[in-house]
Each structure stands twice: as C-alpha cells, then as structure tokens.
C-alpha cells in the first residue's frame, strides 16, 4: 500500500464520515484504528492508547484546563461583565461603538488568558446579549465575538506559540514579543472594519439610545468597576513578569485570584462552584478528546512514512522561498478548516520547520505566521472551534450558519493581516530585536 | 439505563474536582517556592496526573451530554426520517469505536499495572500504572453511554445530538 | 525489502537527530538494499518513554534514545544511562560502555523485554544554564534550578540548591523573569539554539551530566538477520558516537565565540570542585542503588570504572 494512496483514503474517509455528522473525535479515532489494524496488525492497536496517554501527560497543556476554569470563575464572579459594562458606557453616540468596545475587551482578555475557548465563551455570555439587545446586526455581533475570542492566541500568553516553540526549538519569549504587534494590527483592522461598516450601514450598529448615554461624571463612576478586572490582570501578568511563577503556574494563580473575587463578592455557592467545575470538564473533555483522535491518527500516519512523503513533496518544489511559504500557508489554512490546531501542529511542523530553516528564513517569524493561520482555523468553517463555543452559549435563534456567515468578513481580514506580516517580516521581528539591544 | 446515565454523571462530577485540586496544589507550590524557597517534589507530577485523569475520564460525561463536537450542517438539511437514522448511526458508531479504544488500552494498561510502572523520579509513585488503565475504564463507560444514547434515540423521537 | 522503523528521541531540528539521519543513510548504503533502516523523529509514533513497549507490540522495530526515559520501568535505568555528576567527557562514558561492563549490563536488562542492545553513544556533555556565575558547589546554595525529577534534582538538592520541575516550554520565560536561576536542559549547542543564552549568561560548560544514548532493536528482528548485517550495524553505530561528539565539539566552539560577543561568560569548574560534586553525587547514587537490583548493579559498575579511571578514590 503506497503512502499516497493511504493518505488520500484517509482524507476521503474523514470528509465523508464528518459530513454524516459523526463526532470528529471518533471519526479520526476510527480511521486511526482501521489504519493501524491494516498496517501493523492487531498487536499494534496499543499504539492508539500509547498516543492518547502521551497526549494527556504533556506538561505544556496543563495550562489549558486552568485557563478554562479561570474563565468559568470570571464569568460567575461578574468580573467579565463589569469590564464590559465599564467600557460600554463610554461608547456613547459612536455608531458600532459597542462592537468596537467588545473588540477592545477581547484584547484585554487575550492578555490575561491564552485560551480561545474560554475567551469566546466569556464574550459570548457577556457581550452577545447586549449587542443583540441594542439591535446590532446579528452576523456582525457573532463575527465580532468569534474573531475577538480567536485573538486570545495572538496576544501573549499564547498556548499555540508555547507549543510551536517546543516543537521548533525557538524561544517562547521571542515568540511572545514577535506576536504582539501582529496581534494589535489584527485587532486594529477589526475595529476599523466595524467602524466603516457601521458608518456605511447605520442599522448594522446603532449608537446607544439617548436614555443610555451617560454624563461624564456618571461615566467616571463606572471606572471603579474596572478595579476588579484590573487587579486580576495585574496579578496574573505580575506573577509572570515579576518572576514569581511560570506561564503554566500563572494560569493557576489566575484561577486563585478569580476564586478570591468570587468569595469576596459572596457569589461562591456550592452550586456555582460545582457548575464552574463541570463546565470546565465538559469544555476540556470535548476539546481534548478531539485532539486524542487526531493524535492517534497522526501516529499511524507517521509510521507509514507519511511525514517523509509530505516533506518530499514540499522539498521537490522548484519555487522561491516566498512561494514555498505561501504554499505552506495555504496547506495550513485548508487543514485549519477540518482539524484543530494541535493536530495540525503535530502533523505539519516537523515537516515545515526544517524546510524553513534550510531556506534561511526566521523560525520566529514563521511561528507568528503559523499562529495567525491557526487563529483563522479557530473560526473557519466547517470545523471552527470558536464558532462551536459561541454556539453553545448563544441564544437559541442564533444558528451555527449565522455564525459561519458572520465570521467570513473577519476571515478575509485575517488573511489580509497574514499577507501583510508575510510581506513585512519586520512587523513581527522588530520588537524582539529592539528589546534585545 | 438510568444507572449508566447516573454513572456518567457521577464520574463527571467527581473528576471535575481534580482541576480545582490541581490549581490549589500549584498555588501551594508557588507559595512554598517564592516565600520559603523550598519547591516541592510532588506538585508538578500530581497536578499533571490529576488533569490527565480528569480529561481521560471526562469522555462519558461529554457523551451523556451529547456534546462531542460534530458537524451537523448536512444532517440538518435532511428530512426528519433520515436525520433520525443518522442520529442512531452516530450512537452505534461511537459505541463501536469506544469498544475498540477499550481494547487498544487493555494490554497497554495491564502491562503498566503488572510492572508497577512509576514516574521514576524523586517522587516515585505509580502514576503511569494508575493513569494508563483509565483509558480502558473510561472507554468502557463511554461505550455503555453510547449504547444508552442509541436506545434513547430508538425509542423516543426528537432527542438528537445537540447541534 | 525489509524495513526497520527506528524511532529517535529527538526532534528533526536537533543536530544529533540530523547526525543520526545522515548515519542511517550511510548504513543503508552499506547494507546494499538487503535491509533498510528508516529513522522517525522523537514522539512521532510513541513517546520516548514508550519505545520499549512499542518494540514489544511490533509498532516500531528499534530506537535510538536515552534509556533514562525508562526509569519508570526500573529506576536503575536512570543511573545506568544518566549518571549526573559522574564522567567529565564522552570518551570516559563511552569507554565504560565498551570496556567497563556497560553494554553487557544493558543487554542483561534488555533481555527482560526481548530487545537486543546494539551499542552506546553520547550526545555531548550537558551544559547547565545559569543566570549568575556558579563556580563551585558552595555557589549552588539557594539556587532555584529546573531539573528533571530524580538523580539530578536530588544531587542539586544535596548541594544546597532548590530544584524544581517544569515543562521545557516554560524554561525560557522562567529564566527570563527570574522564576528560576538555572536550568538543566540540554547540551551547550542546543541550549544556545533555544535562545537560553539570551536570558542566562553564565552557562556551566563541561560538567554536570553526560547522558548515554543507546540503540536497540527488537530481538526477533535482530536474530533473523545474518551475521554480517548485524556486524555492519554494530560497528557503524560506534562511528555515529564519534561523529556526534566531534561535531558537537567543533560547533560548540564556534557558537560559544558568537555568544561571548553577546555577553555570555562560560563557566568552567576546577577539577577540585568537580571532585567535590562527584563525592556528593556518589552519596545520592548510593542511596538510589538500593532501589532496585539493576540500580545496584549500575552503581557498582560505574563506581568501579571511575576508580579505574582515577575519577574516584
Ligand atoms: Na493570550
Ligand atoms: Na477551522
């Protein structure tokens, strides 16, 4: 059985089974099992379990449940709501103002956590009802939140970059510095887009009703609501940058801080605690099981020499380095439509990174491109995790199709931003090189 | 059937506490290290193991909630009767796959138990011998829950996957 | 055509992996198509700690790895394969394997898993990265050092340091922010490639641990091959050791010169301080040797050989 033939069969089977509406975790798992039995035989079936075990014991992923739990606590303590409300009153008569504020809050939340799921859920719970109440266009509202949630990975700390750094052997700190400007570029593009869209179509994003516009003194009063979230951000970032703990531990420190707020506000009940924990379990459960399927499949693909085959394909291309990077980006974007980022990273990076290095390109810059691309994958249909998260907390009349339609303009903006950083690597590389001197 | 649902629910509730314990001991470690300059040898391994256990064992709870991620856009376009068939197929499919996972984990888990596999580090505890067999345990519960879902789908109309 | 899938414990970007890859190509030429080796990157099929089992299940046919990963199966593997505080250069460690009873001991334990032990190699001495100059055992007092759990962290602890474990992904920012003062990660060349020299300017070079790499193959597959093929692989593997260590020596020199212009000050320990650390380490080894039969044998073997070399009294 040639690798080429098996690769195509795997892809074909995946698409058919996925379209039948079968859970992705078990689709990839089933294909992995069948392929293992065919290639190695019944004894090799332990491979599936070995891959699963290794995946759940990966230390870098320990931060994921902690950040999700922190998001669940933040949501229950009303901290996210306070943050949003405080910003909300300032948007005043600006058309599209509340959507722009939402994007602003998304950037702030992204600087606290690195988890797209947690951030999307938080924004979906807090901001979406407000946007819909104010008669914002439904698709603009959901698009803003899904894209804003995906920013979680572009503004450090970022789990995607941590994992990339481990795989590529480049420093996480460099990557964090390099991703900051592209992340801000992206959020600026989003805000400009929302502003221009609402200027052209005023009914997409109405200004606040007269009754809700506050005087300056009233506005200033709401600032005290920012103290809570501000302190948490300070605590989390302070514990990282103050040399107290590692990024993984900072996630735990964030949990403890939000837990403390919950206690302080007397909102900690046995029910709220249990539901926060259970929600964390459910969110992490479905995320990780998805990756467990992917990791099983990648194991058997590698044993057949799949990655060697792919890298042979790539290296044989008689193109300039830039064209090869573009081809890689297209491959990543297509994979991003069907797989989660961890699966894509495990599958492609061992192939791409040596090629990038041999072409003399900067792996830090490529890491930022990878991260921007994975940020697209969070919202790109049909498999867009941020869209699924948003759906799970959105009102009943918001369908998954609404969300998919809503994210399309933002995907276009993401592609534009990606192209800009590709053409001008300095956007990514300037900050790390300046800070070094 | 209610027993199986009860087990999935109970298991989910119990293991969700593992995350909180994991956070608490990590906080303890940071405190011990930063304030007393005496890092622990056990927090890193234990918090990782707790989180791993919770994730493996979460499967049946997520299955009970019918929340494993799927793309149902095409399913939703089909006529009611076909849709119902597909939902049934879905549960049967999960049942079979989970049985295979249980099988895949059997020798892997048993070998770890027999050899008493441990972390091999300073805090030498049999974490692998405990976590590895959980794959089979969890997969068995998941396949039972998938079977319950299938029976529910067959005897009552209208209950389907979440999306 | 028979193909052996050999999994390395290293990622494709690692220079030692690249040396292994080039080596596999050479061996394949020598084998003239009668057998073909295929190298797989670390973790691409199973985790490094699972390769013994994976050979047993017929998932892979062999591995080139650090046997210290098997400490969970038997704690003796840690002492057998990564004797922290022991040898000061690769020729000593290699000599232990070839002439000090090392390879016989490896084969004895691998017999339990139906695996053939091909030979030992080394991947260059590990360099401890540090944010402040640590020139002696005394300087270790109170130093927060990232170290893998086990022998390494116990020896650091006995020297008065405060060892802690964290994932590789966390090391850079933990060093940068001062969460830790030092880290036991990899060889000088690899540490520099990961950028650690940017945030920790005082690497201890040339001493603290010298992990043994090994190649092993499923016994069933090995025994089915004719003598000449077995001999080609065994002899060629010894050449890999030489290649890896010579290239490590050369590239380390080049990279260190470059790093010095960025303010890096390599620290070398005096023989006196090395001996002091070895005496402390010996105490930890002795404790650990009580943990299993294999650990006891590994301890005896190493200590006797070090006495022969004059490293221990
Ligand atoms: Na972030
Ligand atoms: Na996607």
């Amino acid at each position: 059985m040639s690798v080429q033939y098996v690769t195509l069969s795997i892809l074909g089977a995946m698409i058919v089974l996925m379209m039948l509406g079968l859970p992705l975790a078990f689709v990839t798992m089933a294909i992995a099992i069948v392929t293992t039995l065919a290639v190695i035989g019944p004894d090799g079936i332990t491979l599936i379990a070995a891959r699963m075990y290794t995946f759940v014991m990966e230390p870098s992923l320990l931060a994921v449940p902690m950040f999700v739990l922190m998001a669940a606590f933040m949501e229950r303590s009303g901290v996210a709501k306070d943050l949003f409300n405080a910003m909300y009153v300032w948007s005043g008569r600006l058309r599209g103002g509340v959507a722009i504020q939402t994007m602003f809050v998304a950037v702030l939340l992204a600087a606290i956590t690195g988890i797209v799921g947690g951030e999307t859920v938080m924004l979906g719970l807090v901001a979406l009802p407000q946007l819909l109440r104010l008669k914002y266009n439904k698709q603009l509202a959901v698009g803003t939140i899904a894209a804003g949630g995906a920013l979680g990975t572009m503004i450090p700390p970022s789990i995607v970059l941590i994992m990339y750094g481990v795989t590529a052997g480049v420093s996480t700190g460099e990557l964090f510095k390099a991703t900051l400007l592209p992340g801000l570029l992206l959020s600026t593009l989003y805000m400009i887009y929302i502003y221009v869209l609402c200027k052209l179509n005023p009914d997409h994003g109405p200004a606040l009703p007269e009754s809700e516009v506050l005087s300056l003194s009233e506005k200033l009063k709401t600032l005290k609501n920012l103290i809570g979230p501000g302190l948490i951000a300070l605590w989390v970032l302070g514990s990282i940058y103050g040399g107290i703990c590692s990024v993984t531990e900072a996630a735990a420190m964030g949990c403890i801080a939000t837990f403390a707020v919950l206690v302080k506000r007397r909102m900690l009940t046995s029910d709220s605690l249990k539901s926060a924990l259970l929600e964390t379990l459910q969110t992490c459960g479905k995320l990780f099981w998805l990756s467990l399927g992917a990791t099983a499949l990648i194991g058997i693909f590698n044993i057949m020499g799949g990655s060697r085959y792919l890298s042979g394909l790539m290296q044989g291309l008689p193109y300039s380095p830039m064209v090869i990077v573009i081809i890689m980006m297209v491959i990543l974007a297509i994979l991003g439509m069907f797989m989660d980022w961890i699966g894509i990273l495990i599958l492609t990076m061992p192939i791409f990174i040596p090629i990038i290095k041999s072409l003399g390109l900067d792996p830090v810059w490529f890491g930022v491109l990878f991260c921007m691309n994975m940020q697209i994958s969070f919202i790109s249909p049909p498999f867009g995790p941020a869209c699924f998260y948003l759906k799970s907390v959105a009102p009943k009349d918001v369908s998954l199709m609404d969300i998919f339609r809503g994210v399309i303009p933002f995907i276009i903006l993401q592609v534009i931003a990606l192209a800009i950083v590709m053409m001008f690597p300095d956007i990514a590389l300037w900050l790390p090189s300046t800070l070094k001197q | 059937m209610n027993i199986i649902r009860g087990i999935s629910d109970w298991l989910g509730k119990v293991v969700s506490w593992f995350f909180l314990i994991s956070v608490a001991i990590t906080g303890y470690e940071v405190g011990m290290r930063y304030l007393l300059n005496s890092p622990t040898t056990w927090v890193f391994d234990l918090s990782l193991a707790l989180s791993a256990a919770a994730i493996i064992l979460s499967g049946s709870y997520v299955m009970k909630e019918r929340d494993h991620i799927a793309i149902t856009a095409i399913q939703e376009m089909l006529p009611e009767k076909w849709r119902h068939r597909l939902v049934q197929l879905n549960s049967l499919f999960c049942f079979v796959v989970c049985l295979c996972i249980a099988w895949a984990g059997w020798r892997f888990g048993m070998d770890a138990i027999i050899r008493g596999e441990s972390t091999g580090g300073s805090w030498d505890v049999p974490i692998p011998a405990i976590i590895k067999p959980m794959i089979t345990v969890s997969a068995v519960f998941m396949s039972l829950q998938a079977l319950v879902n299938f029976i529910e789908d067959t005897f009552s109309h209208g209950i389907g996957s979440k999306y | 055509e028979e193909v052996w899938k050999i999994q390395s414990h290293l990622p494709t970007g690692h220079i030692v992996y690249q040396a292994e890859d080039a080596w596999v190509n050479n061996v394949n030429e020598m084998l003239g198509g009668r057998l073909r080796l295929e190298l797989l990157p670390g973790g691409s099929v199973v985790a490094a700690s699972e390769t013994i089992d994976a050979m047993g299940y017929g998932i892979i046919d062999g591995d080139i790895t650090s046997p210290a990963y098997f400490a969970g199966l038997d704690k003796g593997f840690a002492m057998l394969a990564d004797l922290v505080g022991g040898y000061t250069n690769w020729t000593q460690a290699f000599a232990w394997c070839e002439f000090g009873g090392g390879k016989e001991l490896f084969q004895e334990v691998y017999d339990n898993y139906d695996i053939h032990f091909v030979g030992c190699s080394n991947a260059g001495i590990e360099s401890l990265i540090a944010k402040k100059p640590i020139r002696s055992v005394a300087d270790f007092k109170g130093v927060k050092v990232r170290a893998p759990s086990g022998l390494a962290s116990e020896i650091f602890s006995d020297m008065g340091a405060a060892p802690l474990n964290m994932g590789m992904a966390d090391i850079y920012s933990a060093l940068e922010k001062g969460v830790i003062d030092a880290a036991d990660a990899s060889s000088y060349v690899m540490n520099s490639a990961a950028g650690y020299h940017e945030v920790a300017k005082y690497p201890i070079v040339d001493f603290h641990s010298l992990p043994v790499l090994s190649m092993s193959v499923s016994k069933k597959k090995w025994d089915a091959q004719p003598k000449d093929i077995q001999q080609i692989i065994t002899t060629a593997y010894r050449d890999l050791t030489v290649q890896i260590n010579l290239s490590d020596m050369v590239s380390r020199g080049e990279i260190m010169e470059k790093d010095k212009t960025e303010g890096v000050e390599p620290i070398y320990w005096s023989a006196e301080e090395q001996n002091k650390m070895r005496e402390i380490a010996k105490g930890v080894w002795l404790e650990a040797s009580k943990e299993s039969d294999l650990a006891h044998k590994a301890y005896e073997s190493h200590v006797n050989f070090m006495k022969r070399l004059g490293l221990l009294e």
Side-chain angles (χ1 to χ4, degrees), chain A residues 109-115 119 151-158:
Chain A
L109 287 177
I112 304 178
T113 76
I115 304 298
E119 203 184 325
L151 277 178
T153 199
M154 279 303 294
I155 310 279
S158 154

Side-chain angles (χ1 to χ4, degrees), chain A residues 51 240 243 248 302-303 308, chain C residues 5 39 43-45 59 170 177:
Chain A
R51 299 276 311 172
I240 301 175
T248 307
N302 281 341
I303 222 180
R308 204 167 280 265
Chain C
K5 316 249 177 206
L39 189 67
S44 67
V45 178
I59 296 171
D170 269 343
K177 308 299 174 334

Side-chain angles (χ1 to χ4, degrees), chain B residues 39-157:
Chain B
T40 68
T41 53
W42 52 274
V43 164
F44 180 82
D45 289 325
L46 183 60
S47 64
L48 192 59
L50 283 169
S51 171
I55 283 155
I56 292 176
L57 295 172
S58 70
S60 60
Y61 181 80
V62 181
M63 183 86 78
K64 190 201 102 208
E65 296 289 312
R66 293 167 181 271
D67 204 18
H68 280 293
I69 292 166
I71 296 162
T72 51
I74 292 184
Q75 216 178 77
E76 276 158 19
M77 283 185 266
L78 293 172
E80 180 64 34
K81 196 179 133 199
W82 280 98
R83 216 163 95 189
H84 193 76
R85 288 269 157 76
L86 271 183
V87 170
Q88 278 179 303
L89 172 74
N90 179 331
S91 302
L92 268 189
F93 177 77
C94 292
F95 171 69
V96 175
V97 175
C98 290
L99 278 187
C100 290
I101 298 174
W103 170 46
W106 178 254
R107 220 176 125 191
F108 186 67
M110 284 310 283
D111 281 353
I113 295 177
I114 292 165
R115 292 182 192 145
E117 240 183 273
S118 67
T119 47
S122 306
W123 192 56
D124 197 24
V125 283
I127 284 175
I130 295 170
I131 307 276
K132 285 181 176 180
M134 281 183 186
I135 294 175
T136 294
V137 173
S138 175
V140 167
F141 284 131
M142 285 166 79
S143 56
L144 289 175
Q145 183 61 49
L147 205 58
V148 168
N149 287 1
F150 174 74
I151 296 169
E152 276 177 357
D153 294 337
T154 310
F155 294 104
S156 67
H157 291 258

Side-chain angles (χ1 to χ4, degrees), chain A residues 52-344:
Chain A
M52 291 169 68
Y53 172 74
T54 305
F55 192 88
V56 293
M57 293 297 279
E58 168 57 49
S60 308
L61 296 176
L62 181 57
V64 176
M66 292 182 177
F67 276 128
V68 174
L69 182 60
M70 176 181 164
F73 282 156
M74 267 174 104
E75 182 194 312
R76 279 167 184 76
S77 65
V79 167
K81 197 168 190 153
D82 287 352
L83 181 62
F84 186 82
N85 286 345
M87 315 251 12
Y88 161 73
V89 297
W90 288 83
S91 63
R93 291 185 183 81
L94 185 67
R95 286 190 205 288
V98 181
I100 295 176
Q101 304 283 351
T102 304
M103 201 51 87
F104 211 83
V105 175
V107 175
L108 290 180
L109 287 177
I112 304 178
T113 76
I115 304 298
V116 167
E119 203 184 325
T120 313
V121 166
M122 231 183 305
L123 287 172
L125 283 170
V126 175
L128 188 58
Q130 298 271 28
L131 287 167
L132 294 178
R133 180 179 68 85
L134 293 169
K135 304 263 181 311
Y136 269 66
N137 175 287
K138 202 201 275 177
Q139 283 165 24
L140 174 66
V142 290
T144 303
I145 290 172
L151 277 178
T153 199
M154 279 303 294
I155 310 279
S158 154
I159 307 248
V160 174
L161 285 174
I162 292 176
M163 289 299 286
Y164 174 87
V166 175
T167 315
V170 294
S171 81
T172 318
E174 291 266 292
L175 289 165
F176 279 5
K177 286 167 206 153
T179 191
L180 191 60
L181 286 183
L184 293 177
L185 167 78
L186 201 56
S187 45
T188 313
L189 280 180
Y190 290 160
M191 291 188 211
I192 294 172
Y193 163 73
I194 297 169
Y195 177 75
V196 172
L197 182 76
C198 295
K199 194 93 183 163
L200 297 177
N201 307 300
D203 55 325
H204 270 58
L208 283 190
E210 224 31 65
S211 59
E212 293 189 27
V213 177
L214 302 179
S215 69
L216 185 66
S217 65
E218 283 170 307
K219 280 182 185 173
L220 286 174
K221 268 188 217 155
T222 63
L223 283 184
K224 79 171 200 305
N225 283 344
L226 286 176
I227 295 173
L231 281 178
I232 293 179
L234 214 65
W235 168 260
V236 173
L237 296 176
S239 55
I240 301 175
Y241 291 94
I244 295 170
C245 63
S246 67
V247 176
T248 307
E249 288 167 344
M253 300 307 272
C255 272
I256 292 170
T258 41
F259 186 80
V261 173
L262 213 57
V263 175
K264 170 101 200 320
R265 296 190 170 179
R266 297 174 200 283
M267 283 161 128
L268 180 75
T269 61
S270 146
D271 281 347
S272 71
L273 182 59
K274 280 180 190 161
S275 76
L277 289 173
L278 214 49
E279 183 185 298
T280 307
L281 183 80
Q282 197 170 339
T283 305
C284 295
K286 60 184 172 184
L287 261 197
F288 274 83
W289 271 89
L290 200 68
S291 308
L292 291 178
T295 192
L297 186 55
I298 288 157
I300 184 65
F301 186 69
N302 281 341
I303 222 180
M304 292 185 310
S307 56
R308 204 167 280 265
Y309 162 69
L310 288 183
S311 95
L313 273 186
M314 295 291 307
Q315 255 153 353
L317 297 174
Y319 300 125
S320 71
M322 204 55 197
V323 177
I324 290 181
V325 172
I326 292 173
I327 293 173
M328 287 176 178
M329 287 299 129
V330 172
I331 292 174
L332 291 176
I334 292 173
L335 289 175
M337 291 164 70
F338 302 101
M339 282 172 77
D340 74 313
W341 67 269
I342 295 182
I344 298 172

